[in-house]
Amino acid sequence: MHTQDWTAGYVSDLAYTFGYFPELNPLRARFALLNKGIAVPGFESGCELGFGQGVSINMHAAAATMPWCGTDFNPAQAALARDLAVASGAGARLWDEAFGDFCHRSDLPDFDYIGLHGIWSWISDANRAAVVGFLQRKLRPGGIVYISYNTQPGWSAFAPLRHLMTEHADVLGARGTGTAQRIEGALDFTERLMGTKPSYLRANPNVEERFRSLRSQNRNYVAHEYFNRDWSPMHFSDVAAWVAPAKLTFAASAHLLDHVDALNLTAEQQALLGEIADADFRQSVRDFMTNQQFRRDLWVRGPRQLSALAKAEALRAQSVLLISEPADVSLKVAGALGEATLSVGVYGPILDELSGYKMKTIGEIAAGVEAKGIALAQVIEAITVLAGGQHLALVQDEAVANRVRPQTDRLNAHLRDRARGDGEVTVLASPLTGGGVPVSRFDQLFLEALGSGRQNPNEWAAYVWGVLSRQGQKIIKDGVTLQSAEANLAELEAKASDFNKKALPGLRALGIA
């Protein structure tokens, strides 16, 4: 009997990773657009297409007031996502429908925000057409679309090797074996090929290092990144042509460090870009300058430019929170040009203003450092860099945070309970940030111990060791598994003490602890 392949060539026998993607957070999109002087609509409804395990969409549904809808074709992933939605009580409406079906539903609202992370490059042209039709019909005027995708020219050297690996998996992979086994066979063969020193490698010397990195990565990630049937890195201009029928205009990068030209472009490159009048062609040229491999684009349906006054006032009103002590913030940051050192004279006073986990508006920070000769534009750039480096959180109105706190508390309780059995979800929801914050499995378990009435780090460590030992799990330290109970407990006590001093104050400030 013929069975229809519902996977459409997409890997389905290996689960997608449980990552959280902050670029999908509408609050971050708002800041990125304001940075470019573009008006931002009120967010009344959101949608995520291809939500994977549902971590991001549930973080954003729990930590904000607007309702969310979404779909992911994989029923196992949609089932987990629904479990998270039930746990938070935020009411996200989630389906396991293919894009062709979901995008033609008649019971969906119009949306102010639609996000696609890690989807565009890995689906067929037919599915891309369905998505664009959905954007045409369901995105409100002024609405925002986030699309991330693999980009040329950054993939031009590695793409032939990816093609060879997938061809090996298809042609020489044993029929009836799973994706994981076929991937291992393809990687082993490619390793042998590298050993023969092919001319391709001499012409593309960086490929071998990228292959080594790929080989060391989580196999679930490798499967979904490299081994789907559809895999299409695109030039920016090609994506712009695809979304043109939906009346979308490129507005900004959701990757905040892209906003700081000095981190990514030489003075000569900036000057050349400044001579290019066409905004889209400017993006194409910039991608060549940075050898861009992955873009995180924000598109707007009918962008409206703010006046200089309106832009400054909106940015001044944005509240932020430093999520660690100033001394723990690295003044090194990586951009396309490599690692750069931030100015102590600028960043020191700004970090001092934010010490003690105090929430402040950008306007308040600017007023506090004005006497040191630091201008508003320098403050905004510093906030952009600190937020892009995950040292600082953009936060929403306190009234909104108080309203959603019961939802984030319920979701976090569910995830902390889940962390007793595995470390797959390493993020918790913050009512202040409108999204997720990285929290390791051990730190989640320390929070669980604290919430159950245990008062000090040694008690937290004892609780966590009880959880682990009952499952036959042990700590790995410096690549070595600790064997004795005493050694495991001592390591957990050290981790708990470190958590108490460094992570816990920030988590409390973020409304997570």
Side-chain angles (χ1 to χ4, degrees), residues 160-419:
L161 194 65
R162 179 264 170 191
H163 179 81
L164 187 73
M165 291 190 295
T166 56
E167 186 177 8
H168 182 283
D170 290 340
V171 174
L172 298 182
R175 183 167 295 182
T177 60
T179 300
Q181 188 172 338
R182 290 188 292 115
I183 288 174
E184 289 303 325
L187 294 176
D188 289 342
F189 176 82
T190 305
E191 184 89 45
R192 292 177 59 198
L193 171 64
M194 295 286 188
T196 70
K197 303 300 179 186
S199 296
Y200 162 75
L201 238 146
R202 291 199 298 273
N204 300 280
N206 294 329
V207 163
E208 187 166 15
E209 182 181 344
R210 287 185 67 178
F211 173 74
R212 302 287 176 218
S213 174
L214 180 160
R215 177 129 214 196
S216 67
Q217 289 170 339
N218 176 285
R219 290 299 182 264
N220 296 59
Y221 168 79
V222 170
H224 288 269
E225 173 66 41
Y226 296 97
F227 284 84
N228 290 309
R229 183 182 66 196
D230 294 295
W231 188 84
S232 303
M234 287 191 184
H235 293 280
F236 169 82
S237 59
D238 293 332
V239 178
W242 264 104
V243 302
K247 302 179 181 178
L248 296 182
T249 300
F250 173 75
S253 172
H255 183 53
L256 295 179
L257 294 181
D258 285 346
H259 291 232
V260 184
D261 285 344
L263 298 176
N264 301 291
L265 303 164
T266 66
E268 187 178 15
Q269 290 169 342
Q270 292 178 55
L272 178 58
L273 287 178
E275 297 174 10
I276 300 172
D278 185 87
D280 283 357
F281 186 64
R282 193 158 56 242
Q283 289 299 311
S284 295
V285 175
R286 189 184 190 281
D287 286 346
F288 272 82
M289 290 174 171
T290 61
N291 195 33
Q292 195 72 28
Q293 297 177 25
F294 190 67
R295 287 187 64 103
R296 287 160 277 199
D297 290 350
L298 292 168
W299 304 79
V300 176
R301 187 171 194 171
R304 294 176 296 116
Q305 202 70 30
L306 295 169
S307 69
L309 176 63
K311 173 186 174 181
E313 288 180 342
L315 286 170
R316 281 181 176 274
Q318 173 65 57
S319 295
V320 298
L321 176 70
L322 194 67
I323 57 179
S324 58
E325 286 294 345
D328 296 325
V329 176
S330 172
L331 292 183
K332 303 283 187 180
V333 63
L337 294 178
E339 189 176 76
T341 301
L342 304 174
S343 167
V344 176
V346 173
Y347 282 77
I350 291 171
L351 291 171
D352 288 343
E353 283 290 315
L354 290 165
S355 65
Y357 305 98
K358 297 188 293 283
M359 187 168 65
K360 287 191 174 184
T361 66
I362 291 177
E364 289 170 339
I365 298 167
V369 300
E370 186 177 14
K372 293 182 171 62
I374 301 171
L376 175 63
Q378 292 174 292
V379 173
I380 292 170
E381 181 176 288
I383 295 302
T384 302
V385 170
L386 293 170
Q390 310 301 320
H391 298 299
L392 174 144
L394 304 163
V395 298
Q396 57 193 354
D397 291 343
E398 208 162 354
V400 174
N402 291 335
R403 181 175 169 186
V404 302
R405 179 74 182 257
Q407 294 177 170
T408 59
D409 283 349
R410 289 193 294 267
L411 179 58
N412 290 342
H414 176 82
L415 291 172
R416 293 196 309 268
D417 182 67
R418 179 190 172 96

Side-chain angles (χ1 to χ4, degrees), residues 354-505:
L354 290 165
S355 65
Y357 305 98
K358 297 188 293 283
M359 187 168 65
K360 287 191 174 184
T361 66
I362 291 177
E364 289 170 339
I365 298 167
V369 300
E370 186 177 14
K372 293 182 171 62
I374 301 171
L376 175 63
Q378 292 174 292
V379 173
I380 292 170
E381 181 176 288
I383 295 302
T384 302
V385 170
L386 293 170
Q390 310 301 320
H391 298 299
L392 174 144
L394 304 163
V395 298
Q396 57 193 354
D397 291 343
E398 208 162 354
V400 174
N402 291 335
R403 181 175 169 186
V404 302
R405 179 74 182 257
Q407 294 177 170
T408 59
D409 283 349
R410 289 193 294 267
L411 179 58
N412 290 342
H414 176 82
L415 291 172
R416 293 196 309 268
D417 182 67
R418 179 190 172 96
R420 294 184 304 121
D422 63 62
E424 292 175 323
V425 182
T426 55
V427 61
L428 294 177
S430 165
L432 284 175
T433 70
V437 174
V439 184
S440 71
R441 181 194 182 193
F442 287 138
D443 287 359
Q444 289 185 45
L445 293 175
F446 293 146
L447 286 174
E448 185 74 355
L450 177 63
S452 65
R454 294 167 175 84
Q455 297 299 315
N456 61 65
N458 285 353
E459 290 180 348
W460 305 341
Y463 167 80
V464 176
W465 176 236
V467 170
L468 299 180
S469 61
R470 285 192 295 271
Q471 300 173 76
Q473 298 175 354
K474 296 176 180 177
I475 304 291
I476 299 175
K477 181 180 181 181
D478 299 328
V480 178
T481 301
L482 303 180
Q483 296 299 328
S484 70
E486 292 77 12
N488 277 273
L489 191 56
E491 179 63 17
L492 284 168
E493 287 174 349
K495 288 181 179 294
S497 178
D498 192 57
F499 167 77
N500 186 47
K501 293 174 184 174
K502 293 184 177 180
L504 185 56

Side-chain angles (χ1 to χ4, degrees), residues 24-85:
L24 281 163
N25 188 336
L27 195 63
R28 176 175 286 233
R30 178 182 182 275
F31 181 76
L33 294 173
L34 288 177
N35 240 346
K36 299 297 182 181
I38 295 172
V40 182
F43 291 120
E44 297 179 9
S45 54
C47 178
E48 186 179 345
L49 299 176
F51 53 64
Q53 301 287 2
V55 176
S56 294
I57 193 170
N58 277 294
M59 291 286 156
H60 299 141
T65 55
M66 76 172 178
W68 281 80
C69 299
T71 191
D72 191 279
F73 84 113
N74 189 314
Q77 293 175 178
L80 172 63
R82 286 185 173 186
D83 284 348
L84 298 180

